[in-house]
């Protein structure tokens, strides 16, 4: 039973006759039903995954306690204004060409949409933007995880000054990359660049002093810069590259426990 509160009217309008159920736990993802969680008569979590939705009600912005919204797997071409309290937004597998102004999110999942551009991202733990139409990475500030795989990026350049603190994992697989510059990202621990068109890795990779996992499978590398030997790598994946010769320092990496795939 819905509480007798203004938020309930928004849920009823969204449901449009679909079943309304209670979420079993905070991160449950249901299919085909409107799943909700309440706190003190206010809606705090809303899941409408795979409900055949083409629009969301404009009154969504009035849900002033809503923290988590999951509307993935629908046919949404646009989003209304979002509640200021929202912290987690899941809009994956829709038809979005743009995002509205975002509140102070900690999680954004916009994988598999039609986004050609995304405004600056601030203070996110996770930003999923894979399989869109991005030709450039959005400006970042204190984003810990970023996935821009399966976008037609061609080039990728991020510096510590751009990202400020926090970028720890970057995934840009199958992004048509021919050039990449990553400089001074002191927190970056994992870098996934599989399936691009990189013919060389830049010397600036030597500044990635926390890097532990580097995956450059299926590129066009004919050499591996010696600068990488100073990094604290636990895993280096070089498979399916036309390397001219095997760098001798890979033996030292393997001897100290690093996993090397060639």
């Amino acid at each position: 039973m819905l509480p007798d509160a203004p938020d309930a009217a928004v849920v009823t309008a969204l449901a449009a006759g679909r079943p309304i159920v209670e979420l079993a736990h905070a991160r449950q993802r249901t299919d085909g039903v409107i799943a909700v969680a309440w706190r003190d008569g206010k809606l705090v979590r809303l899941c409408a995954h795979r409900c055949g939705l083409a629009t969301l009600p404009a009154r969504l912005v009035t849900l002033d306690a809503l923290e988590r919204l999951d509307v993935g797997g629908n046919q949404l071409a646009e989003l209304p204004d979002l509640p200021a309290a929202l912290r987690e937004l899941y809009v994956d597998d829709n038809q979005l060409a743009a995002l509205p102004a975002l509140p102070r999110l900690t999680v954004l999942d916009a994988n598999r949409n039609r986004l050609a551009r995304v405004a600056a991202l601030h203070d996110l733990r996770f930003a999923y933007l894979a399989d869109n139409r991005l030709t450039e990475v959005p400006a970042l500030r204190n984003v810990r995880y970023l996935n821009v795989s399966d976008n037609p990026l061609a080039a990728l350049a991020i510096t510590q000054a751009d990202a400020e603190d926090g970028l720890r994992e970057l995934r840009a697989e199958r992004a048509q990359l021919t050039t990449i510059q990553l400089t001074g990202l002191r927190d970056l621990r994992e870098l996934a660049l599989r399936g691009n068109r990189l013919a060389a890795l830049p010397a600036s990779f030597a500044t990635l002093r926390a890097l532990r996992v580097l995956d450059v499978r299926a590129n066009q590398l004919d050499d591996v810069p010696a600068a990488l030997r100073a990094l604290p790598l636990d895993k280096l994946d070089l498979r399916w590259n036309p390397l001219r010769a095997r760098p001798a320092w890979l033996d030292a990496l393997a001897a100290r426990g690093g996993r090397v795939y060639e």
Side-chain angles (χ1 to χ4, degrees):
M1 181 179 295
L2 297 179
D4 184 15
D7 290 5
V10 180
V11 174
T12 301
L14 177 66
R18 299 177 185 86
I20 301 173
V21 303
E22 293 282 337
L23 285 165
H25 57 78
R27 300 200 172 278
Q28 182 185 12
R29 171 171 264 189
T30 56
D31 283 345
V33 299
I34 307 300
V36 294
W38 303 87
R39 182 190 305 137
D40 300 327
K42 303 291 287 185
L43 187 66
V44 293
R45 294 180 181 86
L46 172 60
C47 178
H49 185 251
R50 292 185 180 173
C51 284
L53 299 174
T55 61
L56 297 178
R59 286 185 293 168
L60 192 77
V61 73
T62 67
L63 301 175
D64 57 8
L66 188 66
E67 299 170 356
R68 189 175 196 267
L69 175 63
D70 184 344
V71 289
N74 287 290
Q75 291 91 47
L76 300 172
E78 61 181 358
L79 298 177
D81 291 340
L82 299 170
L86 197 65
R87 294 296 174 263
E88 298 185 23
L89 177 62
Y90 301 85
V91 292
D92 47 298
D93 295 292
N94 277 284
Q95 300 170 18
L96 299 172
L99 297 174
L102 299 176
R104 292 180 63 90
L105 298 175
T106 58
V107 178
L108 170 64
D109 186 347
N111 285 344
R112 296 176 297 279
N113 276 280
R114 301 175 180 177
L115 300 171
R117 183 181 179 278
V118 173
L121 299 176
H122 297 178
D123 303 319
L124 279 157
R125 292 195 188 112
F126 299 97
Y128 300 92
L129 298 171
D131 200 0
N132 277 281
R133 300 175 181 178
L134 300 176
T135 56
E136 61 181 10
V137 173
L140 307 172
R141 189 184 73 193
N142 199 25
V143 174
R144 293 188 181 182
Y145 171 100
L146 177 65
N147 191 335
V148 288
S149 299
D150 298 295
N151 281 285
L153 292 175
L156 176 60
I158 305 175
T159 70
Q160 185 67 36
D162 295 329
E164 293 192 3
D165 293 333
L167 190 59
R168 295 176 183 175
E169 183 171 347
L170 174 60
R171 309 194 72 84
E173 301 175 300
R174 300 172 302 278
Q176 303 177 31
L177 294 177
T178 57
T179 62
I180 184 168
Q181 285 291 333
L182 303 175
T183 305
L185 300 179
R186 58 176 174 262
D187 297 312
L188 190 65
R189 299 173 185 176
E190 185 165 346
L191 177 58
L193 298 172
R194 179 180 181 176
N196 284 293
R197 303 170 185 171
L198 298 170
L201 299 180
S204 64
F205 272 31
T207 67
L208 308 178
R209 293 298 184 181
L211 194 65
R212 295 191 172 276
V213 176
L214 176 58
D215 184 351
V216 288
R217 281 176 288 176
N219 276 276
Q220 299 173 14
L221 303 176
D222 63 3
D223 194 12
V224 184
L228 294 184
R229 68 186 303 172
L231 301 181
L233 291 170
D234 295 324
K235 177 182 176 181
L236 175 60
D237 200 330
L238 299 168
R239 288 176 289 179
W240 312 315
N241 280 283
L243 296 175
R244 293 192 310 264
R246 183 183 187 278
W249 60 267
L250 293 182
D251 291 331
L253 174 57
R256 64 171 176 78
R259 290 172 292 161
V260 181
Y261 300 92
E262 305 172 60

